[in-house]
Amino acid sequence: MTHRFFPFGVLLLIIVIWTAASIVIKPPQFLRQAPIFYEDTDFQVYFTGLGWIIPSAVLFEHGYSEYPPLGLMYVRWPLIFTDNFINFHWWLWLSNALLSLGTVWLIFKLAVFVNQNSSRVNSPTVAWWLWALPSAIFFTLNRYDIWPVFLTTLALYLMFKNNFKAGWLVYGLAIMAKFYPVLLFPLFYTLGKKNNLSSGVMWYALLPIVTLSSVVAWLGGWLAVVTPYILQFSRAAEPGSLLFWLVQTVPQFKMGWYGLSMMIKLAVLVYWLAVTLIANRFNLRQHLILAALTLLLVINFNTFYSNQWWLWVLPFLTLVLSTNTIWLAGLYDVVNYLQYPVLFGRWIKFNEPLGWVVLTSTVGLRNIILFILVYILWREFKNLSIASLSTTKIVL
């Protein structure tokens, strides 16, 4: 019994140490501008209600917001109890930490279902230690992305438990916290149609979507509903993304880079969705691999790269990568953390010449690891034949 709680004890201890370090330890002078353990930028946005994409714009003035409704509600909830930023900061920090522990617990539960539906000799194991690495810890505690990650993982768990109504409902809530769960629709669609038991209850996902969108539209009109997505989808290539690096390197091919990036970003998702809707011939493990591939390509070939998006793909990588390759995910995490906040936050901010070296080297290294991960996952996907792994087939 003790060993079952060991990962949670270790993760909790690391979170406590990280929290103490964020209060006590000051970074070295040459990294003084880089937020090693904590960063108040996004928390200040959450607390003040002032935007950062459009500086000083009130987040909910006329009902407009940079965040989907449930995301905004989550980042603002501590204001119910306090109007002091320090208290607000630590309440949200604690909430994020608890969601991290909850997400890892759910991943352990999901691993049981994956193991039961897999005939592999080396069954998927939970690489829980990925959640204790610096990038995962930093962005879990300093951003709100752990909130939609938790909801998405909870929705998957409910689907595996055959609680389809609650699963679709929570999936809808996840979409209203962050857009990215929409990209996982083929997985939820397949799980929802398992054994033909719940093909009619997927509409439960629309309940929170329609309800929250209607409330927001009532407060500020239809623009209030679409503004978060207009802001995000209209952003140009920004430092940190592969696309930005390509455009800066060969500017003559700017539009070509944009088109190529879009095609690569959506290639797996389009393939996954088409085959799922037409034939549904993928087994469970293949669906999980396609989920990981879709998210990896979307976050890395987007016009801008947000390092906290790494949290989105972690639940799937912990379930599908073998013990021989999971270390690559750990290496990605470390490089992701070095890029931002450590190096990127220190040099790129001040446009120093060394900043371009940091930009190209970290983006390049991160994407080399990405391509290796994509290759490994795609090879595993192709090697999984329906005939040899019929026990993983999700019967419709």
Side-chain angles (χ1 to χ4, degrees):
M1 179 66 69
T2 303
H3 73 278
R4 295 175 59 184
F5 295 99
F6 175 77
F8 302 99
V10 173
L11 182 57
L12 178 60
L13 178 61
I14 292 175
I15 290 175
V16 171
I17 294 174
W18 190 281
T19 303
S22 70
I23 300 172
V24 176
I25 299 177
K26 294 183 179 180
Q29 185 63 39
F30 77 100
L31 291 176
R32 190 57 55 84
Q33 301 298 328
I36 304 299
F37 297 108
Y38 74 96
E39 182 184 44
D40 283 341
T41 304
D42 281 49
F43 275 40
Q44 288 282 0
V45 170
Y46 306 154
F47 178 74
T48 62
L50 300 179
W52 61 272
I53 298 177
I54 304 177
S56 300
V58 179
L59 285 181
F60 219 71
E61 185 177 11
H62 308 301
Y64 302 158
S65 170
E66 294 177 1
Y67 305 98
L70 202 61
L72 184 66
M73 292 170 64
Y74 175 74
V75 301
R76 303 277 284 178
W77 78 261
L79 292 175
I80 299 174
F81 305 102
T82 181
D83 58 0
N84 178 275
F85 175 71
I86 300 300
N87 294 334
F88 171 91
H89 176 280
W90 291 117
W91 274 115
L92 196 56
W93 181 286
L94 175 62
S95 179
N96 288 347
L98 292 176
L99 287 177
S100 175
L101 293 170
T103 300
V104 173
W105 181 83
L106 287 170
I107 291 173
F108 268 98
K109 293 294 184 181
L110 289 174
V112 173
F113 292 107
V114 174
N115 289 338
Q116 290 173 348
N117 289 276
S118 176
S119 61
R120 299 174 73 233
V121 176
N122 296 319
S123 297
T125 56
V126 180
W128 58 269
W129 49 268
L130 288 176
W131 292 89
L133 294 181
S135 190
I137 290 288
F138 181 89
F139 292 110
T140 289
L141 298 176
N142 288 283
R143 299 292 190 272
Y144 91 94
D145 288 70
I146 190 61
W147 171 232
V149 169
F150 171 80
L151 290 175
T152 302
T153 311
L154 176 60
L156 283 174
Y157 171 74
L158 291 169
M159 292 294 235
F160 276 111
K161 291 282 289 184
N162 295 328
N163 194 342
F164 298 110
K165 291 181 180 179
W168 281 114
L169 183 67
V170 175
Y171 178 60
L173 291 173
I175 293 173
M176 295 311 290
K178 200 87 171 183
F179 178 79
Y180 93 88
V182 172
L183 305 174
L184 302 173
F185 176 76
L187 174 59
F188 281 90
Y189 176 80
T190 303
L191 292 174
K193 292 195 68 175
K194 185 172 59 175
N195 298 323
N196 287 325
L197 292 176
S198 66
S199 57
V201 301
M202 63 183 294
W203 304 108
Y204 274 75
L206 293 179
L207 290 177
I209 296 174
V210 172
T211 300
L212 290 172
S213 297
S214 299
V215 171
V216 172
W218 176 70
L219 290 174
W222 68 273
L223 277 176
V225 178
V226 300
T227 292
Y229 312 104
I230 292 176
L231 286 174
Q232 298 293 338
F233 293 146
S234 62
R235 292 172 66 176
E238 299 177 8
S241 69
L242 176 61
L243 179 60
F244 179 85
W245 182 78
L246 292 173
V247 169
Q248 293 297 316
T249 304
V250 190
Q252 298 84 352
F253 197 44
K254 179 178 180 180
M255 297 312 298
W257 289 130
Y258 272 87
L260 181 62
S261 176
M262 179 63 70
M263 288 190 293
I264 295 176
K265 179 172 66 174
L266 298 178
V268 171
L269 176 61
V270 171
Y271 167 72
W272 185 19
L273 182 61
V275 176
T276 298
L277 293 178
I278 295 172
N280 195 31
R281 58 183 177 83
F282 298 141
N283 58 56
L284 172 58
R285 183 169 173 79
Q286 286 178 307
H287 276 287
L288 294 174
I289 291 175
L290 288 171
L293 282 169
T294 294
L295 293 176
L296 280 173
L297 292 179
V298 166
I299 67 179
N300 281 277
F301 284 88
N302 197 36
T303 55
F304 64 99
Y305 179 79
S306 290
N307 299 68
Q308 64 264 26
W309 293 348
W310 175 237
L311 298 179
W312 301 358
V313 72
L314 272 183
F316 300 99
L317 291 180
T318 56
L319 292 173
V320 300
L321 284 177
S322 69
T323 54
N324 295 328
T325 57
I326 194 67
W327 64 271
L328 281 168
L331 182 59
Y332 186 105
D333 183 286
V334 173
V335 174
N336 195 55
Y337 177 71
L338 289 176
Q339 179 190 328
Y340 189 92
V342 178
L343 300 178
F344 191 87
R346 170 64 182 89
W347 281 306
I348 300 298
K349 184 183 298 183
F350 300 103
N351 295 317
E352 298 176 2
L354 186 57
W356 288 103
V357 177
V358 174
L359 173 64
T360 55
S361 61
T362 55
V363 172
L365 180 56
R366 194 191 75 233
N367 280 277
I368 288 173
I369 302 171
L370 162 73
F371 292 134
I372 296 174
L373 281 172
V374 168
Y375 169 75
I376 289 172
L377 288 170
W378 184 252
R379 185 183 61 184
E380 174 72 10
F381 171 80
K382 297 297 289 184
N383 288 338
L384 286 171
S385 66
I386 301 300
S388 62
L389 288 175
S390 58
T391 56
T392 66
K393 174 73 174 178
I394 298 178
V395 182
L396 298 182

